[in-house]
Amino acid sequence: MRKFAPFMLALIAVGAAPLYAQETAPGACSTPESIVVAGNSRMDSATVRSTAGLSTGAPLSVQDIQAAIKALYATGHFDDVQITCRVSPTTNKAMLVIQVKERPILTDYKVIGADRVSPKDVKEKLAFPTGGPVDPGKIAKAIASTDSLYESKGYYLASVKAESTVTNGKLSMVFNVDEGRRLAISGIRINGNKSVPDADVVGAMDTKPEGFLWTRNGELDDATYAQDLSEKIPQLYASRGYIDFRILKDTLIVDRAKGKGLLDITVTEGPRYKVGNFEVLGNRRFSTDQINAFYPFGKAQQTTVVQKATGMIRRSYTNPLNTFDEARWDDAQQKLMEAYNDEGYIYANIRPVTERVPGTDSVRIVNLRWEIDERSPAIVNRIEIVGNDYTHESCIREQIVLAPGQVFNRNYLIRSYQNIGNLNFFESPMAAPDTRPSGDQGDVDIVFTVKEKRTGNVNFGASMGQGTGLGGFIGLDQPNLLGRCKRAQVQWQFGQYINDFNLTYNDPNIRQSRISGTVTAYHSQSRYTVADLGGIIRTGGQVQLGFPVPQSIYTRLFVSYGGEKVNYTTQGLLGTVAQACNRCWRSTLGFTAQHDTRTGLPFPADGGLQSFNAQFNGGPLGGTASFQRYTTELRSYAPIGHIGGSLLGGEPMMFIVGLSARSGALFGDPGPFFSTQSFALGGTQYGEQLRGYDEFSVTPNGFDPGSTQTTATRASFGNAFFVGTAEFGLRLNQSLYTNIFYEGGNVWNKPREFDPTRLFRSFGFGVATLSPLGPLGVDIGYGLDKFDAQGRPAPGWKLHFKLGQFF
């Protein structure tokens, strides 16, 4: 691995050079008449003779010559030292010659090629003082130290080549570093395992051998490999009952010529343990039967939906009944601890005890015990909010469902944290709430730390979309008006086929009460090119009040009243009612019940939504038409995994499973308001969403294969609908979401015709983000139940753009 310049290849031989004497004068060299020094230029001769410690006239021995050579080498100034004797043939007198070769002086050096490993660390290993002689031994040691540095980073194939240039005794050096690539692991060999196959052991490791072609490079990372040895492999064995498992030895066998490495691991498995007795000590808050519900053994292990799906793809190992599984034991303890935390026992201590029963069998018994020190429940002493420079504290406290003097509840703490995050007034992710002891009575102080971010914005720009054509928008949005959580929004969207003006004001806590209020006014002029629907002008407003439901922090009831004036243009389908509806008026009284536990909005990461809405139009309220409209929406989201971060105080990428259902029914005759109050199904631009199908293609009379070429008709609208969706999504962050979905829906003429067994199905994928006008998304759906004009199946893809819809 190391290469040295020619001047470094001299062997340092510490031994006496032979004393050459004339045969005519035996013994003359033992008492030389003079001592001369040759080959020196920087160190004067007197200093050389003094360092050698040799003198004339005195008898010299081999040991004296050896000591002189060692002393001269020890100065570090010489590459070679030889001592010879010359005898004059005429006088028979001896002259001792000290022949030296001085080391060159290092004037400068540089390091080239250090990149993957910190160049600073490499230079520290190869640091040499300039202006002095160069010691080849120190250079070799420094290169070896650099090799070790690269090996510690996983670059076992790195090499350092030293090149030198000597001019007039001056040395210039260049250290060329060839970092190579990380060592590729060609295989992992497990020795000593009898019960757990090699494939299972390697499968539990993050370090993997290289795969076929480019599928896996097999690079060795020392930190990852160390974690495999200390955690991953022992956890695998402990999950199968081998809690006495040990790793005896691990060796890395490197083939530098091929750039490959073989990991050789020797283990001892020990006996497998089955679960024996189980007992609980010290419990008072929970009965023994309640705690036994957390005990993970003695019953068949429950399998989650994700585990079942994974098992269908890859066969998984199942322990024999009552086999001790350390991972399940630890997980059960954590769940029991969370149950105590939920009841305010945050200082409780649960000590898990595993007692091995002596024996000689290959399968042994371990008795289990939870020793519980419950202590006293914690009482919330103070709740502090830190970092809110603009937002009023009272506004934030409205989102906190804990109160001073209340028994601490971990679920309420998490919900309060999520509620504050849902405001979207603060930077995400928020720091996890801090709980710290207060006094010596077991009370607790809670601190929520927030960091303000800019909330109000003025936005404008151009837009282009299906159904709207080329246009633009101007908007003013302040969701935290005056720092009191009140929202004011003014928005004007204009374009080739649209001219919308909206004004909204929302107060979530009217006069510091739990009653919310919203006032909306709008003027909308739209020309729908979709299916040549026609044009509509709507002017109106709505007032809504929201009331909390006692004993429920997630449920609210809303009462609203709205009025709307409608005019139609003389084009398209809506033109057929233009004459019958000159300044038509719709008066609406609405009631809504909503239970919302979603978190991470606008793209939920957890929780659910259950909403029911009833609208009463006309009759005693007045107006052009009299009818009742009922809609309901059910949504549920569950996280099934995450990448990076933690679920509290972090913002990991999260995998989400979502289920939703939307349905509606209309009783009575909507008259000229059918285009906005009856239900149209298909697409995403108008009416009820059903991806994979064109707008108005799903009608009460079935699928319309000509909907992309023909115009919408009155028969395209129904008085009942249903849409169900299942999705699997990846929530990259609070502003970006992508998913795959499976969807089905239908529309019927009358509510009594509702038939959930006959749905038009689709599947596909989409991506959504936030824009100044709200969530913006693109979906590609594949309609499974489409057919052509001849009635032949014709499934196919459909691209959809969406703006301002939550999905």
Side-chain angles (χ1 to χ4, degrees):
M1 182 173 180
R2 309 176 185 91
K3 298 184 179 180
F4 301 93
F7 82 95
M8 299 177 187
L9 300 177
L11 297 177
I12 303 176
V14 182
L19 300 179
Y20 298 98
Q22 300 289 344
E23 293 182 2
T24 57
C29 289
S30 62
T31 55
E33 290 290 331
S34 60
I35 300 176
V36 298
V37 179
N40 58 314
S41 60
R42 295 193 306 273
M43 184 178 290
D44 59 80
S45 298
T47 303
V48 174
R49 286 193 294 269
S50 174
T51 302
L54 301 177
S55 59
T56 59
L60 299 178
S61 65
V62 173
Q63 290 77 14
D64 294 331
I65 300 300
Q66 290 176 335
I69 292 175
K70 289 181 180 180
L72 290 172
Y73 272 122
T75 64
H77 286 274
F78 306 111
D79 273 336
D80 187 30
V81 177
Q82 294 185 12
I83 299 179
T84 59
C85 179
R86 298 177 184 175
V87 180
S88 173
T90 57
T91 62
N92 201 29
K93 293 182 179 180
M95 179 177 63
L96 204 63
V97 180
I98 302 177
Q99 184 72 39
V100 297
K101 181 181 179 182
E102 292 180 324
R103 288 174 174 169
I105 298 298
L106 180 63
T107 57
D108 65 272
Y109 72 95
K110 58 183 177 180
V111 180
I112 299 175
D115 183 30
R116 298 175 185 172
V117 175
S118 172
K120 178 182 177 182
D121 294 342
V122 175
K123 289 180 181 179
E124 287 180 354
K125 297 294 183 182
L126 297 173
F128 296 100
T130 57
V134 180
D135 185 346
K138 291 183 178 180
I139 293 177
K141 184 177 180 181
I143 292 177
S145 179
T146 305
D147 293 342
S148 299
L149 172 65
Y150 272 93
E151 288 179 0
S152 68
K153 305 294 184 181
Y155 294 96
Y156 290 85
L157 304 179
S159 63
V160 180
K161 179 182 178 182
E163 298 180 350
S164 61
T165 302
V166 181
T167 305
N168 297 327
K170 302 296 179 69
L171 176 66
S172 177
M173 295 188 62
V174 176
F175 293 95
N176 289 303
V177 180
D178 181 8
E179 295 181 320
R181 59 176 176 82
R182 288 184 182 272
L183 184 69
I185 300 301
S186 60
I188 301 177
R189 185 167 58 203
I190 311 297
N191 305 310
N193 57 316
K194 298 178 181 178
S195 301
V196 180
D198 291 8
D200 289 1
V201 177
V202 176
M205 300 172 62
D206 289 333
T207 303
K208 305 290 185 184
E210 60 184 351
F212 178 70
L213 296 179
W214 61 86
T215 56
R216 190 169 57 231
N217 57 27
E219 289 185 349
L220 176 64
D221 182 272
D222 281 1
T224 302
Y225 179 53
Q227 187 177 29
D228 289 334
L229 297 180
S230 62
E231 297 180 17
K232 300 292 185 178
I233 300 177
Q235 286 173 358
L236 169 68
Y237 271 92
S239 69
R240 301 189 180 186
Y242 297 94
I243 55 178
D244 292 338
F245 166 84
R246 297 291 182 272
I247 294 178
L248 301 180
K249 181 177 65 173
D250 72 287
T251 306
L252 173 62
I253 303 171
V254 179
D255 185 343
R256 298 186 182 276
K258 296 181 179 180
K260 308 290 184 181
L262 173 67
L263 292 175
D264 189 89
I265 303 173
T266 302
V267 305
T268 175
E269 294 180 329
R272 167 177 270 175
Y273 285 84
K274 297 186 69 174
V275 176
N277 299 326
F278 170 68
E279 62 178 335
V280 181
L281 301 177
N283 57 305
R284 297 185 305 276
R285 173 60 184 84
F286 294 112
S287 67
T288 300
D289 289 340
Q290 288 176 314
I291 292 181
N292 284 341
F294 293 91
Y295 180 63
F297 305 112
K299 54 187 176 182
Q301 183 176 1
Q302 296 182 351
T303 305
T304 65
V305 175
V306 176
Q307 290 172 332
K308 290 179 180 179
T310 304
M312 295 175 62
I313 301 173
R314 183 181 63 183
R315 185 176 180 182
S316 59
Y317 174 84
T318 302
N319 278 327
L321 187 63
N322 280 338
T323 298
F324 178 69
D325 184 338
E326 192 170 66
R328 291 179 64 191
W329 177 239
D330 293 340
D331 184 60
Q333 177 202 348
Q334 180 63 31
K335 290 180 179 178
L336 179 59
M337 190 68 232
E338 291 175 358
Y340 269 101
N341 289 345
D342 292 344
E343 298 298 324
Y345 292 83
I346 61 176
Y347 301 120
N349 180 39
I350 302 175
R351 179 173 174 260
V353 178
T354 57
E355 294 181 346
R356 293 169 172 81
V357 178
T360 58
D361 297 335
S362 59
V363 178
R364 299 185 188 175
I365 301 297
V366 59
N367 294 328
L368 305 177
R369 183 170 66 251
W370 275 330
E371 297 178 352
I372 303 175
D373 180 10
E374 293 182 344
R375 304 180 184 178
S376 300
I379 304 298
V380 178
N381 180 50
R382 298 177 58 189
I383 299 178
E384 300 178 13
I385 301 171
V386 179
N388 55 314
D389 301 323
Y390 176 74
T391 305
H392 283 239
E393 186 169 302
S394 60
C395 172
I396 302 175
R397 288 191 179 274
E398 288 293 338
Q399 309 301 319
I400 300 175
V401 295
L402 282 167
Q406 177 182 345
V407 174
F408 176 84
N409 186 294
R410 190 180 63 90
N411 279 336
Y412 285 1
L413 176 68
I414 294 175
R415 182 63 191 185
S416 301
Y417 170 83
Q418 293 170 338
N419 285 349
I420 297 174
N422 282 346
L423 290 174
N424 284 323
F425 299 161
F426 311 107
E427 290 189 3
S428 177
M430 286 172 41
D434 182 25
T435 57
R436 56 195 184 199
S438 174
D440 55 0
Q441 302 299 319
D443 295 343
V444 62
D445 291 338
I446 301 174
V447 180
F448 293 95
T449 302
V450 299
K451 186 176 182 181
E452 301 271 11
K453 70 176 181 180
R454 184 180 63 85
T455 55
N457 60 82
V458 177
N459 51 75
F460 57 89
S463 64
M464 179 67 184
Q466 295 173 331
T468 62
L470 179 63
F473 59 88
I474 299 175
L476 171 63
D477 184 16
Q478 176 50 273
N480 190 15
L481 186 65
L482 303 178
R484 296 186 179 275
C485 296
K486 307 178 192 303
R487 181 165 197 159
Q489 186 176 36
V490 180
Q491 192 171 91
W492 178 33
Q493 186 176 4
F494 53 89
Q496 185 177 0
Y497 305 114
I498 191 169
N499 193 328
D500 281 351
F501 181 82
N502 290 274
L503 176 64
T504 302
Y505 175 78
N506 174 264
D507 188 344
N509 306 105
I510 299 176
R511 301 180 66 86
Q512 302 299 314
S513 69
R514 299 300 303 276
I515 300 174
S516 63
T518 302
V519 178
T520 303
Y522 58 88
H523 177 80
S524 175
Q525 182 175 349
S526 304
R527 166 75 172 91
Y528 295 101
T529 60
V530 177
D532 194 24
L533 184 61
I536 183 172
I537 302 173
R538 301 164 56 223
T539 304
Q542 178 180 275
V543 177
Q544 177 179 271
L545 296 176
F547 303 90
V549 174
Q551 308 302 319
S552 176
I553 61 176
Y554 307 120
T555 306
R556 293 184 73 83
L557 299 177
F558 298 90
V559 179
S560 63
Y561 175 78
E564 180 181 74
K565 181 180 69 175
V566 180
N567 286 330
Y568 297 101
T569 64
T570 57
Q571 300 134 342
L573 173 63
L574 298 180
T576 62
V577 295
Q579 299 300 323
C581 190
N582 184 18
R583 297 182 179 274
C584 288
W585 172 259
R586 183 167 66 87
S587 180
T588 304
L589 179 63
F591 300 91
T592 301
Q594 180 176 287
H595 182 77
D596 191 355
T597 61
R598 294 175 298 172
T599 62
L601 298 175
F603 305 116
D606 198 359
L609 169 69
Q610 298 84 44
S611 176
F612 176 78
N613 176 261
Q615 292 182 357
F616 301 93
N617 299 263
L621 300 173
T624 307
S626 179
F627 59 95
Q628 300 85 46
R629 190 175 191 265
Y630 303 91
T631 58
T632 184
E633 183 176 15
L634 306 175
R635 293 180 178 270
S636 179
Y637 302 91
I640 60 173
H642 68 279
I643 301 175
S646 62
L647 296 181
L648 189 63
E651 190 173 18
M653 293 188 294
M654 300 182 65
F655 294 99
I656 311 295
V657 171
L659 296 174
S660 65
R662 310 186 318 276
S663 64
L666 187 146
F667 298 91
D669 182 8
F673 304 107
F674 74 89
S675 64
T676 58
Q677 299 304 302
S678 293
F679 306 107
L681 189 63
T684 61
Q685 294 297 308
Y686 191 91
E688 303 301 330
Q689 170 181 289
L690 182 62
R691 292 166 286 188
Y693 296 85
D694 290 290
E695 278 75 5
F696 302 104
S697 62
V698 179
T699 74
N701 299 320
F703 178 73
D704 180 4
S707 60
T708 56
Q709 290 83 26
T710 62
T711 61
T713 66
R714 180 63 180 86
S716 301
F717 296 83
N719 288 339
F721 87 97
F722 172 82
V723 176
T725 304
E727 65 180 84
F728 174 76
L730 172 60
R731 186 179 184 272
L732 298 171
N733 52 50
Q734 199 170 8
S735 302
L736 185 60
Y737 179 73
T738 181
N739 71 341
I740 58 177
F741 62 85
Y742 182 80
E743 204 160 64
N746 204 348
V747 61
W748 297 273
N749 279 315
K750 299 178 180 179
R752 65 171 176 265
E753 296 175 359
F754 174 75
D755 182 5
T757 64
R758 182 64 183 99
L759 302 178
F760 290 89
R761 304 162 300 158
S762 67
F763 69 88
F765 56 92
V767 62
T769 187
L770 293 181
S771 74
L773 294 178
L776 171 66
V778 178
D779 288 306
I780 300 178
Y782 188 83
L784 294 169
D785 299 312
K786 296 192 289 188
F787 50 84
D788 59 20
Q790 286 74 40
R792 296 170 299 187
W797 293 99
K798 175 64 179 178
L799 178 66
H800 304 281
F801 294 97
K802 297 186 296 185
L803 180 63
Q805 300 181 39
F806 290 84
F807 47 97

